[in-house]
Amino acid sequence: MQEHRAGPEVKAETPVQATLRRAVFALLVTVSLVALVVGKAEVYVFDWVKSGVGDVLAPVLQTVTLPVRAARDIGSNLGRVAALTEENAQLREENARLRQWQSLALRLDGQNRELRRLLRFDPGEEIRTVAARVIADTGGPYARSMLMDAGSRQGVRADQAVISGEGLVGRVMSAGARSARVLLITDRRSHVPVLAGPDRVHAILVGNNSARPHLRFLPRNAALAAGDVIVTSGRGGIFPPGLPVGDISAAARSGGGVEVVPHVDWTRLEFVRVIDRDAPDVACRGIDAGASRPGGARGGSRCKHYRAAAHLACALDRRPRRACPCRCGSALLGRTAPGPCAGAFRLCCRPHA
Amino acid sequence: MPAPFVFAVGLTHDSVADAPFGLMALVYLFVLGAARSQRFLVVGQPFVAGWAVFTVVACAASALAWLGASLYYGAALSVGAPLAVLLLTVLTFPAVAGALAVLDSAALKRSA
């Protein structure tokens, strides 16, 4: 192995140069510390920087990850060749079963449409989606996020839900012009209001930077079993209701909550869809019509500037605090217990990107 | 390497890896400071000594990053992923250092 050797002689720096160098070094350390403190106080300040860097590096990352993806696919496919015969037999069996379900579904769909027509049922808001390719798993040791190749030019904005064919992936954290960063449901900053099990118990799915997020704020008497399905509840206004998220794992309830196995296979995630609900202030209308009027009372201005879960802000600002059913995050959970929940309030009310 | 360049690399890393903004910039500045003040430990020493010093600095940098991230998020984060990154960094050092040494020699020959 080659040995290190002394480099060429360098000219010694003058005292002034040394002082200047130390001053620059100290200044940069201070700037780093200030950036950390500012970022902690208001997490959205540096989003535009990160979005810009993502936009610039998106083509590079896309190119760099191509051979990695190809190698991973080859390895994965080789491993599956051996199991193809058995898988084929299983698929035939499943196909036959699904055909029966299809005929049942078609019959029920016709019946459903007929009944809706009779009731003049309003199907609610139409959901538009934007397809995107995952170009990089950018999360480091301290984050679980990814970069996709659709940004504000394609209609992607912060706080939109992101799904795959398997289930909920996460939400858009920040959007640049051509790329956007998605916060995965496994990241510790992710909090998703969900319904758990056949009893549809309200809970919050909280990421922990591992492959298995936890359910928190479950009622004490919640009866959940391994394999119970978790879907989004729709509370909070970010995630539409009914999106499949995962299953409760076989592991017993631990101190950190119930473990959930997400439906999404993170290692094979290639394409996603971004749900564009495009309904700002929609939640405000249900609480207080006056609150969403521009130039109205305090609640109005807040609802104008805060999109997600604006109903909470309305409830907070338009009513006396004592009369408020919930002061903050507990409203998301459908609980009335008061408590120190400033963090949850921040979760509910994100400013427009 | 000039400190502003190291700072910019750190901020880019923070942006790409979605780390707390300023964390890796601070860690890289720490590494730069350590490298500047302690370079006499590796200059003229065998490769293994350089690798050992690199390992110590990498461990310290990883610990600092983990501590900073844990303080930032207000909870003790899992050490599994940072340890995996550290291990990979230390194990790939010979290959990367060898490649850089070859480039360094070529550049010196060209300039001579």
Side-chain angles (χ1 to χ4, degrees), chain A residues 168 192-196 200-204 230-237 239-243 245 277 332-334:
Chain A
L168 182 67
V192 183
V194 292
L195 295 170
R200 299 174 71 79
V201 180
H202 283 281
I204 297 285
I230 311 293
V231 297
T232 53
S233 69
R235 290 191 177 187
F239 303 99
L243 296 176
V245 178
R277 301 179 82 187
L332 263 181
L333 316 177

Side-chain angles (χ1 to χ4, degrees), chain A residues 250-308:
Chain A
R253 186 187 290 224
S254 62
V258 174
E259 270 189 2
V260 172
V261 183
H263 284 167
V264 177
D265 181 358
W266 308 110
T267 58
R268 302 179 69 84
L269 192 61
E270 198 172 353
F271 293 97
V272 292
R273 281 186 299 153
V274 183
I275 295 178
D276 182 10
R277 301 179 82 187
D278 198 25
D281 297 350
V282 70
C284 276
R285 292 199 297 267
I287 299 284
D288 186 339
S292 61
R293 276 186 218 131
R298 238 174 101 218
S301 63
R302 186 175 283 268
C303 284
K304 197 172 142 196
H305 296 297
Y306 286 76
R307 185 172 63 235

Side-chain angles (χ1 to χ4, degrees), chain A residues 104-117:
Chain A
L104 178 68
L106 287 171
R107 204 168 66 237
L108 289 174
D109 184 49
Q111 200 177 61
N112 196 18
R113 264 184 288 167
E114 183 63 21
L115 290 170
R116 281 184 175 192
R117 195 182 60 78

Side-chain angles (χ1 to χ4, degrees), chain A residues 197-198 223-229 246-253 258-259 261:
Chain A
L224 296 171
D228 280 354
V229 177
D247 298 328
I248 288 176
S249 80
R253 186 187 290 224
V258 174
E259 270 189 2
V261 183

Side-chain angles (χ1 to χ4, degrees), chain A residues 8-190:
Chain A
E9 287 296 319
V10 282
K11 197 177 167 186
E13 59 185 1
T14 63
V16 175
Q17 284 175 325
T19 308
L20 189 65
R21 184 174 54 78
R22 285 196 197 102
V24 169
F25 188 84
L27 178 71
L28 292 174
V29 168
T30 310
V31 170
S32 302
L33 288 169
V34 169
L36 278 169
V37 172
V38 171
K40 177 66 180 168
E42 181 47 79
V43 291
Y44 313 112
V45 166
F46 297 115
D47 273 2
W48 64 272
V49 180
K50 291 186 175 182
S51 302
V53 172
D55 267 356
V56 170
L57 293 181
V60 180
L61 290 170
Q62 202 163 4
T63 311
V64 167
T65 52
L66 272 177
V68 178
R69 277 181 193 280
R72 195 168 62 189
D73 287 349
I74 289 169
S76 171
N77 289 339
L78 281 176
R80 294 175 68 185
V81 163
L84 271 182
T85 313
E86 192 183 342
E87 193 179 340
N88 202 19
Q90 279 178 353
L91 286 173
R92 281 177 194 280
E93 197 179 313
E94 194 177 337
N95 196 27
R97 205 169 53 244
L98 287 174
R99 279 183 188 281
Q100 290 175 358
W101 279 109
Q102 188 194 24
S103 91
L104 178 68
L106 287 171
R107 204 168 66 237
L108 289 174
D109 184 49
Q111 200 177 61
N112 196 18
R113 264 184 288 167
E114 183 63 21
L115 290 170
R116 281 184 175 192
R117 195 182 60 78
L118 283 170
L119 291 169
R120 295 183 180 174
F121 177 77
D122 178 9
E125 58 179 311
E126 281 190 19
I127 292 179
R128 195 172 70 91
T129 59
V130 177
R133 178 193 281 270
V134 176
I135 52 176
D137 301 329
T138 53
Y142 310 113
R144 295 287 182 274
S145 64
M146 62 183 202
L147 211 60
M148 59 181 187
D149 68 350
S152 55
R153 285 183 191 170
Q154 287 78 30
V156 174
R157 294 185 308 277
D159 284 341
Q160 288 176 329
V162 181
I163 57 172
S164 73
E166 296 164 309
L168 182 67
V169 172
R171 68 174 167 85
V172 176
M173 198 161 55
S174 59
R178 294 179 306 237
S179 66
R181 190 182 298 278
V182 179
L183 185 75
L184 305 182
I185 56 171
T186 51
D187 188 285
R188 61 179 298 110
R189 292 165 289 177
S190 168

